[in-house]
Amino acid sequence: MEFLKQLVLLASIFFFSFGFQFFCYGVCFSSPALATGPDGVPIKDQIIGLANDPETVEWMKKVRRKLHENPELGFEEFETSKLIRDELDRLGISYRWPVARTGVVATIGSGSPPFVALRADMDALPIQELVEWENKSKVDGKMHACGHDGHVTMLLGAAKVLQKLRFTLQGTVILIFQPAEEQGEGAKQMIQAGVLENIEAIFGVHLVHRYPLGVVAGRPGEFLAGCGSFKATISGKGGHAANPQNSIDPILAASAAVISLQSIVSRESDPLDSQVVSVSMIHGGTAFNVIPDSATISGTFRAFSKESFNALRERIEEVIKAQAAVHRCTAEISFEGNEHPSIPPTFNDEKIYERVQQVAKEIVGEENVELSPRFMGSEDFAFFLNKVPGSFLFLGIRNERTGATHCPHSPYFTIDEDVLPIGAAIHAGFAHSYLSDSNTDSHSF
């Protein structure tokens, strides 16, 4: 009898310690609309308010400017990683480091399923900044010319928002700070390190000058092209240019290959299936009167579908080898160099895309959400999308008043920092919405 009394007492303690919290979650979050948090304030309003808090906005600007002043190239992001870890420590957010050499993976929420991931890339470019302002790059020949300093800052902003709302998260948010996007290697190495383990969905953003400040754009399905590069070494027999009959001319073979490669897209591909083959480098010879032993040609190829991408790769190899053979040469072709590895097409999952669109409309207004055309640019976020459903989004920064009009990879590239709270809110809103609605059909938050 005494044992039963103790058992009842323990059960009561358990209920009041833990069961009440579960009861609150049931009351506050069982509705598909997920309109309010435990305090009765709509989650959407809380996220927007926290992201736009003046102290948070000023903090994000300071973080972004520190990152911009100290750009680091792929797999060299040691100080960048330290800054991220220091901010996560101040926010009380746990993380793993190093991941894929310099990457950081942080965790917010219950630690239990479902798991949703948010990703930001960290690396800069080998470009000399020509923008004159007080926070100009302090490192000669290196610059954040693709907005990755903004990406990191927006994800840290989302981390701050989600940490304050952590008791309303019905699952776990994984924050992926990824190195070496520009090399096309960072995402692959993060995946190899296990960052996608148990992840159900993933989301990423890229700042673009194509759209005005605060306008978001994306599309379901095919979004960005797959990118491949090739390098062909064509070998012949060198000799004096005055006696070409005694040589086997690799320059002639290379020239014929370059011309023949242009027919792949113009005469073999469906005109409605956008593809590109571009030869952008030719090297051969050291003197005007010497036929060299070899010549090299290099270039890129792009397509939106895996089938077209793989078909281009096969035909590039066939054409170069055939043209080399016609001119009595041999050819060796490499498609998997460390500098420019193949990146698959970026393909947005339709359901995740719809959720992203709904969240974006709640934050920036329906009039600022657009359907994007497909682009021939590539993103190594595609490696994540090959593993788990997800969506990639463009976020506009163009503002003539602030000079944010130049394209990425330009030495004059800059962003309008008013985009930072917008991006932070979209990241946080997507993660919260996904976790809250993971067992319902609702797309709101």
Side-chain angles (χ1 to χ4, degrees), residues 99-338:
V99 182
R101 291 188 256 182
T102 55
V104 181
V105 179
T107 303
I108 303 174
S110 67
S112 303
F115 293 86
V116 63
L118 306 174
R119 171 268 202 177
D121 38 14
M122 307 187 297
D123 55 324
L125 286 159
I127 294 174
Q128 182 67 41
E129 181 169 9
L130 297 180
V131 183
E132 295 298 334
W133 67 304
E134 61 272 23
N135 298 108
K136 181 179 179 179
S137 171
K138 295 179 179 179
V139 185
D140 286 342
K142 298 179 184 179
M143 175 191 177
H144 272 295
C146 201
H148 295 189
D149 51 343
H151 300 169
V152 170
T153 303
M154 292 187 299
L155 189 53
L156 283 172
K160 187 172 185 177
V161 171
L162 291 169
Q163 179 69 352
K164 290 188 176 181
L165 296 176
R166 62 190 179 277
F167 296 117
T168 70
L169 294 173
Q170 291 185 282
T172 307
V173 182
I174 304 298
L175 310 175
I176 299 174
F177 296 91
Q178 177 210 309
E181 186 277 329
E182 298 293 351
Q183 296 180 15
E185 282 287 339
K188 288 197 295 186
Q189 293 201 20
M190 295 291 273
I191 292 168
Q192 291 168 3
V195 301
L196 292 183
E197 185 177 350
N198 299 320
I199 299 296
E200 294 184 6
I202 189 167
F203 173 65
V205 168
H206 203 298
L207 298 176
V208 295
H209 76 297
R210 179 183 178 92
Y211 295 99
L213 173 67
V215 172
V216 302
R219 66 179 299 112
E222 299 171 354
F223 186 21
L224 304 178
C227 169
S229 63
F230 63 91
K231 179 179 180 180
T233 301
I234 298 174
S235 300
K237 178 183 176 182
H240 201 294
N243 299 294
Q245 72 277 11
N246 296 324
S247 302
I248 300 175
D249 191 349
I251 298 290
L252 179 60
S255 300
V258 171
I259 294 172
S260 296
L261 285 171
Q262 307 311 305
S263 67
I264 296 176
V265 173
S266 66
R267 287 296 176 266
E268 299 180 21
S269 302
D270 185 343
L272 300 179
D273 181 13
S274 299
Q275 300 175 35
V276 167
V277 176
S278 293
V279 178
S280 50
M281 290 192 292
I282 302 177
H283 296 286
T286 57
F288 74 93
N289 59 351
V290 177
I291 293 174
D293 286 322
S294 66
T296 61
I297 60 174
S298 302
T300 184
F301 58 104
R302 313 270 173 133
F304 287 102
S305 71
K306 294 178 183 178
E307 294 76 13
S308 297
F309 184 79
N310 292 331
L312 279 180
R313 176 173 170 151
E314 290 178 8
R315 285 296 290 148
I316 289 169
E317 183 169 11
E318 290 172 355
V319 167
I320 294 174
K321 287 186 174 180
Q323 287 299 322
V326 165
H327 294 86
R328 301 179 297 152
C329 293
T330 60
E332 293 184 2
I333 305 171
S334 171
F335 287 97
E336 293 292 344
N338 290 327

Side-chain angles (χ1 to χ4, degrees), residues 223-227 302-304 344-346 374-379 394:
F223 186 21
L224 304 178
C227 169
R302 313 270 173 133
F304 287 102
T346 299
R374 300 186 302 175
F375 285 93
M376 276 294 172
S378 299
E379 237 287 348
F394 284 163

Side-chain angles (χ1 to χ4, degrees), residues 68-87:
H68 192 85
E69 289 180 345
N70 299 282
E72 297 174 298
L73 303 183
F75 295 123
E76 300 174 3
E77 308 97 329
F78 298 104
E79 291 303 314
T80 301
S81 178
K82 183 178 184 305
L83 184 151
I84 292 169
R85 300 193 318 271
D86 288 345
E87 296 300 334

